[in-house]
Amino acid sequence: MVINKRIKRVLLENKAQYIGSIILIILSSFIFNYTSQFGMNFERLANEFQEGYVQEDASFTTSKEIENLQELESAANAMIEEGLTLDYTLSEGKTLRIFSQNNRVNLPAILDGKELSGSGDILISPVFADTHNYKIGDELNILDKTFTIVGFAALPNYIYPLQSEEMMMPLPGFGIAVISKEDFAALNQGSSFYAVKFNESVQNSRVQSFEFRELLNSRNIDILKWTDIEDNKRVNIVDAQVQIQKLVSKAIPTGILLLAIILISNVIGRMIHRESTIIGALYALGYRRKEIYRHYLRFPLLIAIIGGIIGTILGIFPVRPLLSFFTTAFIMPMTGIEFSLISMTISLLLPILFLGCGCYFVIRKELKHSPVELMRGKKEKNKVNFLERGLKLEKFRFATRFKIREQLRSLSRLAFLLFGVSVATMLLLWGFVLKSGFDDMLSGGSVYNFEYEYKFDKPQHEPLPAGAEPFQALLFLPEPDAKNDFYVTGILPDSELVTLVDESSTRLSTNQVIVTKPMARLLNANEGDTVDIVRKTDSRVFSIKIDKIADTYEGKFVFMPLADFNQKFEMPEGSYVGAFSNVLLDIPENQSYSVVSLEEKKAAVEEAIGPTKSMISVMAAIAFIIGMIVIYLVTSMIVEENKGTISLMKVFGYRKKEINSLILNSSTIVVVIGYIIGIPLTFKGIGVLVQSLENSVGMTLPPLKINPSYLLIGFIVVMLTYELSKLLCRKKVNAVSMSEALKAGME
C-alpha cells in the first residue's frame, strides 16, 4: 500500500519512543532466551552426570559391617557398594574428605587429567585445587604417605560440595578427594558407609528406601544414619537451582514485555488519535478497514521483530560463560552446550504475539468510529475520567492542580509509569535484599558460642576437656511421607556454648525441650503442645512436648537435655556423637571424625557475597535502563501532548524554569509511588524463590528484610534516573515555539 511508505518517516520522527520500545523488547527476549537456554543445559548436564556416573538413591551407615552383600542386593533388587571415607586436615583451613574409588555406584567423573592407575594416585575437586593453587602433578602428604594429583574429579553425590548437611554453602577450605581402595586400606583409618542404587521399578524411590530399611531391620542390621538422595542437599540444591531459573525465565521477561506492550499501545493509540482526520480521509478515498488495521499493526510488529531477533541472538552469548561459572559452583562435567530451537522460536514469537494482540485491541478501539466522526475529530477528546472527577482539586493551588490533572488525563500513561518504576525498583532491590541477608549472617548474633564443631562417625563416651560440650543428634521427619528432615539435638542442660532466647531476649534454660521458630512452623505447634515425630532411620514414631520456642531462624532444630535424648531415643547412656568446643580436641589418629570452625562458615558466606555483588551491579544496570526508558518516554509523551499549552505559557510570559517545573515535575509523585509499590513486590517475588528453596532442599532462611540504607540507595538511584530523564526532555520543552499556540488555534 502507498500509505506504508510513511512508516519509515514516522519511526524517524519519533525515534525516542520506538528505540525505547525496541530496547525493552531486546531486554525481554535476551533474558528469556539466555535463562531458558542456560536452565535447559544446566538441567541436562546434571541429569547426564547423575545417570552416567550412577548416582546413589540413598546412602547409609550401620553399626557393623554387612556380610554377604550379593545376597542383600538380590533381596533388595539393588546395587550396593561399600565405600570408605576420611576427613583429613592438610593444614589449618584445608580439609579433604577422602573417598575410596567406587566401581559401581557414585563413580568419579574425570574433569581434567587422568584416572587413578597406580598406588599413590589421587583425584581432587577442581574448586579445592583452584582455591589452594594445586595443579596436576603436585604432591600431597596424607598420614605420612605421599600422593600425586593425577586429575581433577567430581562425584555425583557431591555436586554441591557441602562439608555438612546443615550448611547452606560450601566452605572455601573444604574439598573432595578419591584414592584407590588399596591405598585407602593402607591408611588404616576412616569409616565405612554404603551407597545404594535401586534397579528400575514402578515403585517410588522413597517406597523402595522404606522397604530396604525394613529388610535391614529384619536382618538385625542397625542403621546409624540414612540419607535419601532427595534429601541430600549436596544434590537436591541442583533441582532448586533449575526451578529458580525457570521462575526467573518467566517472571522478568514477562514483566518487561508487559511494559513494552503498554508503551507501544500508548504510542499507537496516540498516533491514531492525532491522525484521526487523515484516517477518515483514507476511508473516504476507498481504503478498507482491514488495510488501515494492517498499516498500523506494522508498527508494533516491526518493533517486535527487530527487538525479538536482536534479543534472541544476544541471549545465546552469555550461556557458555554462565554454565562455566555454575559448573564450578556445582561441580560436574561440562560436556557441551545444546541450544534449543524451541526456546529461540518462543523468544522470537512471544513479543510478536503479545505486541500484535495488545496493539490490535487498541487499534480496534480507536478505529471503531465512523469515517465522518474520524474526519471531524470528535473522538471524546476532553472526556474527564472517574479519578479526575472524584478528586476535589479546587482547594489546591494552580501548579499542584495542573500537575495532578496532567497525570490523571491519561490512565494508560499513568499505569505505564507506575508499572515501569515498580519493575525497575524490583530489579534494583532484588540484590539489595540478598545482600542484607548476607550482612545479617555475618554480623548478626548467633545461638552458638563456640569455635569448633566436631562430629564422630561412631558414638563416644570419653569425657571432654574444659571448653568443650558433648551433643547428640538424630534426623527426624514431621510425618512418615514428609520430604524435608530436621535434627533433634541433645545438649547439656546447663550449656554455656548454646544460647537460646525468647522473643523478649530472655535466655532460655536448656534443661527443657526447645524448638526454633522454623521448626515450630514446620510442626505447626505452640509452646506446651505435644507432637509426634518420625525417626528417619527406622520410621519409629516418638512424642515430644514442646516447652519453649526460641526466637531464632538458624535452622530447623529441636533441642533437649542430653540425658533425656539418650533415654527417649534408646541411645547408650552417656554417649554423644559430636562436641561443641572453643579449643582444639586431642583426638586419636585412628578415630574418624570431621571438624568445622565457625570462622570457616563465615568465610564461606563472605565468599558467596562476591557473585552477589556482581549480580547487584547487573540488576542495577538493567533497572537503570528500564527506569530511564520508562520515565523518559512518559515525560516525552507529556511534552508532545502539551505543546500547545507550553506555547501559550510562553506567550503569557511564563519563565523557562516555571514551565519546566509544571511540565517535567508533574510525574514526581507518581515515580515516588511506583518506588514504594515496588518494595513489597520485591519481597513477594523473593519470597517465591525462598519458598522454592525451602520446599526443594529444606533450606530455612530468616524473614526477608532490607537495610534502610539500601532502600535509600535504591531511592536515590531511581530519582537520579528521573532527574536525568527530565534533563534530556528539557530541550524538547525549550524547543517549543510560541507559534504552536497559533497553529492550534487555526486547527
Side-chain angles (χ1 to χ4, degrees):
M1 289 189 298
V2 176
I3 57 172
N4 288 333
K5 294 182 179 179
R6 64 187 287 270
I7 292 177
K8 181 179 179 181
R9 185 178 72 251
V10 172
L11 292 176
L12 293 176
E13 287 175 355
N14 302 276
K15 292 189 290 291
Q17 294 177 348
Y18 294 112
I19 290 174
S21 304
I22 291 172
I23 292 174
L24 288 177
I25 297 298
I26 290 173
L27 281 174
S28 176
S29 295
F30 168 76
I31 295 174
F32 176 83
N33 192 37
Y34 102 76
T35 52
S36 298
Q37 300 286 359
F38 165 75
M40 180 202 69
N41 278 280
F42 185 77
E43 186 175 15
R44 177 184 57 81
L45 290 175
N47 289 336
E48 288 178 355
F49 184 34
Q50 292 165 4
E51 294 173 7
Y53 292 86
V54 198
Q55 184 187 78
E56 66 187 30
D57 287 324
S59 63
F60 64 97
T61 58
T62 58
S63 58
K64 60 182 180 180
E65 186 178 354
I66 299 176
E67 298 178 356
N68 201 345
L69 275 180
Q70 290 183 346
E71 181 186 339
L72 184 61
E73 283 184 335
S74 300
N77 190 28
M79 285 192 300
I80 308 171
E81 185 166 12
E82 182 180 9
L84 298 168
T85 183
L86 167 69
D87 277 17
Y88 183 76
T89 302
L90 294 171
S91 61
E92 187 174 353
K94 291 195 292 186
T95 299
L96 272 179
R97 180 161 294 167
I98 306 169
F99 291 94
S100 59
Q101 183 180 22
N102 281 5
N103 300 314
R104 305 175 68 198
V105 184
N106 294 331
L107 308 178
I110 307 302
L111 307 180
D112 192 12
K114 62 179 183 178
E115 297 181 350
L116 300 176
S117 58
S119 178
D121 288 352
I122 188 171
L123 302 170
I124 65 172
S125 57
V127 175
F128 183 83
D130 185 61
T131 303
H132 301 288
N133 298 316
Y134 286 118
K135 297 178 176 59
I136 294 175
D138 288 353
E139 293 183 344
L140 299 175
N141 188 278
I142 300 173
L143 293 174
D144 298 325
K145 180 175 174 60
T146 301
F147 289 87
T148 302
I149 300 173
V150 295
F152 302 141
L155 291 175
N157 59 330
Y158 268 81
I159 298 177
Y160 194 59
L162 297 173
Q163 184 170 356
S164 171
E165 291 184 4
E166 300 88 58
M167 294 180 178
M168 290 193 297
M169 54 199 67
L171 301 177
F174 176 73
I176 305 299
V178 179
I179 61 177
S180 68
K181 290 187 176 181
E182 293 75 18
D183 281 343
F184 204 110
L187 295 177
N188 292 319
Q189 284 197 34
S191 57
S192 64
F193 69 96
Y194 296 91
V196 184
K197 179 67 177 179
F198 297 112
N199 295 326
E200 290 188 11
S201 170
V202 294
Q203 289 181 308
N204 181 278
S205 60
R206 284 191 177 272
V207 174
Q208 290 177 294
S209 290
F210 176 77
E211 292 179 350
F212 184 72
R213 291 199 299 271
E214 290 292 313
L215 178 63
L216 292 177
N217 289 331
S218 68
R219 299 189 175 205
N220 297 318
I221 299 173
D222 295 329
I223 303 172
L224 298 178
K225 184 179 180 181
W226 179 280
T227 304
D228 286 309
I229 196 64
E230 295 176 0
D231 300 328
N232 185 347
K233 289 181 182 177
R234 301 179 179 99
V235 173
N236 61 18
I237 201 167
V238 176
D239 298 328
Q241 179 64 39
V242 171
Q243 294 303 318
I244 289 172
Q245 283 300 128
K246 289 179 179 178
L247 286 173
V248 170
S249 67
K250 294 174 183 176
I252 296 180
T254 300
I256 298 175
L257 193 55
L258 285 175
L259 270 177
I261 292 169
I262 298 172
L263 171 60
I264 299 299
S265 299
N266 266 283
V267 172
I268 299 299
R270 280 167 170 72
M271 182 195 302
I272 296 174
H273 183 84
R274 290 195 308 269
E275 298 178 355
S276 59
T277 305
I278 299 173
I279 295 169
L282 291 173
Y283 278 137
L285 290 171
Y287 279 91
R288 292 172 295 176
R289 188 176 295 270
K290 288 183 179 180
E291 293 175 315
I292 304 296
Y293 270 61
R294 285 199 297 268
H295 170 68
Y296 284 103
L297 274 174
R298 287 176 185 266
F299 290 95
L301 292 179
L302 185 61
I303 290 168
I305 291 170
I306 294 173
I309 291 174
I310 296 175
T312 300
I313 293 173
L314 291 178
I316 295 173
F317 295 103
V319 177
R320 182 176 293 276
L322 196 63
L323 273 175
S324 298
F325 170 76
F326 269 82
T327 50
T328 57
F330 301 90
I331 307 175
M332 53 188 178
M334 175 77 164
T335 56
I337 297 176
E338 296 178 3
F339 289 104
S340 169
L341 289 176
I342 295 176
S343 293
M344 287 190 277
T345 303
I346 293 173
S347 173
L348 182 60
L349 293 181
L350 271 183
I352 297 173
L353 179 64
F354 276 69
L355 252 70
C357 292
C359 291
Y360 171 79
F361 289 109
V362 172
I363 295 169
R364 183 181 177 184
K365 178 184 175 183
E366 295 291 338
L367 297 182
K368 67 181 180 181
H369 301 275
S370 66
V372 175
E373 289 177 319
L374 291 170
M375 291 183 71
R376 290 177 177 175
K378 296 179 180 180
K379 263 187 60 204
E380 304 170 349
K381 289 182 179 179
N382 299 313
K383 185 176 180 180
V384 178
N385 61 56
F386 70 96
L387 279 178
E388 191 174 346
R389 286 197 307 270
L391 291 175
K392 306 298 181 183
L393 301 177
E394 291 76 12
K395 58 185 177 181
F396 298 107
R397 60 190 183 92
F398 168 74
T400 305
R401 291 202 307 271
F402 182 90
K403 291 175 183 177
I404 294 175
R405 281 177 174 152
E406 193 54 51
Q407 292 301 316
L408 298 180
R409 285 289 162 89
S410 174
L411 294 183
S412 59
R413 188 183 66 205
L414 178 64
F416 173 62
L417 181 57
L418 274 174
F419 185 58
V421 174
S422 298
V423 169
T425 300
M426 289 177 67
L427 293 173
L428 186 63
L429 296 183
W430 188 288
F432 286 144
V433 172
L434 296 179
K435 180 68 165 56
S436 290
F438 281 126
D439 290 344
D440 286 346
M441 292 174 69
L442 288 172
S443 60
S446 172
V447 300
Y448 305 117
N449 307 316
F450 53 84
E451 179 60 27
Y452 304 101
E453 180 180 347
Y454 287 83
K455 286 189 177 179
F456 306 100
D457 288 344
K458 295 181 180 180
Q460 306 294 308
H461 293 83
E462 294 76 12
L464 294 170
E469 294 180 358
F471 71 85
Q472 274 279 24
L474 286 173
L475 278 171
F476 285 81
L477 299 167
E479 52 190 31
D481 295 328
K483 183 176 181 181
N484 295 325
D485 51 27
F486 60 89
Y487 276 98
V488 176
T489 305
I491 57 177
L492 293 182
D494 54 352
S495 175
E496 294 295 328
L497 301 184
V498 178
T499 302
L500 299 167
V501 299
D502 59 18
E503 291 186 343
S504 62
S505 298
T506 302
R507 183 165 181 171
L508 298 172
S509 169
T510 52
N511 192 22
Q512 57 187 333
V513 177
I514 305 172
V515 300
T516 59
K517 279 193 170 181
M519 192 69 250
R521 186 177 61 193
L522 178 65
L523 296 174
N524 193 24
N526 299 309
E527 291 182 1
D529 290 352
T530 299
V531 295
D532 291 335
I533 57 177
V534 182
R535 187 157 62 186
K536 191 171 181 180
T537 53
D538 56 9
S539 299
R540 283 187 59 185
V541 179
F542 295 87
S543 295
I544 58 171
K545 182 183 177 182
I546 298 172
D547 296 312
K548 293 292 181 180
I549 297 175
D551 186 22
T552 178
Y553 287 87
E554 293 193 37
K556 297 175 183 174
F557 290 101
V558 178
F559 295 97
M560 62 191 303
L562 180 59
D564 294 349
F565 180 100
N566 287 333
Q567 182 180 6
K568 176 173 279 293
F569 303 122
E570 301 174 0
M571 303 297 289
E573 184 179 354
S575 66
Y576 59 91
V577 295
F580 304 134
S581 178
N582 283 320
V583 295
L584 288 170
L585 301 182
D586 185 15
I587 299 173
E589 288 188 357
N590 61 351
Q591 188 169 316
S592 182
Y593 70 96
S594 63
V595 58
V596 177
S597 74
L598 294 190
E599 285 299 318
E600 289 177 325
K601 290 184 178 181
K602 187 175 180 180
V605 176
E606 290 175 337
E607 187 170 303
I609 292 177
T612 303
K613 290 179 179 177
S614 301
M615 187 191 71
I616 291 173
S617 301
V618 172
M619 289 291 193
I622 295 175
F624 183 83
I625 294 171
I626 292 175
M628 188 73 193
I629 292 171
V630 170
I631 297 172
Y632 175 73
L633 292 181
V634 168
T635 309
S636 297
M637 289 179 189
I638 293 173
V639 174
E640 288 293 326
E641 293 169 6
N642 285 279
K643 279 186 176 180
T645 304
I646 295 169
S647 180
L648 277 175
M649 287 179 176
K650 290 183 177 181
V651 171
F652 290 152
Y654 279 83
R655 290 172 297 177
K656 287 183 179 181
K657 185 177 180 181
E658 294 173 319
I659 297 173
N660 286 327
S661 176
L662 287 170
I663 300 298
L664 300 180
N665 289 342
S666 63
S667 301
T668 304
I669 186 65
V670 182
V671 172
V672 173
I673 293 173
Y675 180 78
I676 294 172
I677 292 173
I679 295 172
L681 291 178
T682 303
F683 285 102
K684 188 70 175 177
I686 296 181
V688 173
L689 297 185
V690 170
Q691 190 62 48
S692 173
L693 281 173
E694 188 167 342
N695 292 338
S696 55
V697 300
M699 187 178 291
T700 303
L701 297 176
L704 295 172
K705 60 181 179 180
I706 185 170
N707 191 305
S709 62
Y710 292 143
L711 282 177
L712 179 61
I713 292 172
F715 181 73
I716 291 172
V717 170
V718 170
M719 295 310 294
L720 282 176
T721 306
Y722 177 49
E723 292 298 324
L724 183 57
S725 300
K726 285 165 49 180
L727 187 64
L728 294 175
C729 288
R730 191 169 296 172
K731 293 181 180 180
K732 287 192 172 187
V733 176
N734 296 335
V736 177
S737 64
M738 296 183 185
S739 61
E740 289 288 338
L742 297 174
K743 292 179 182 178
M746 291 175 63
E747 291 174 358

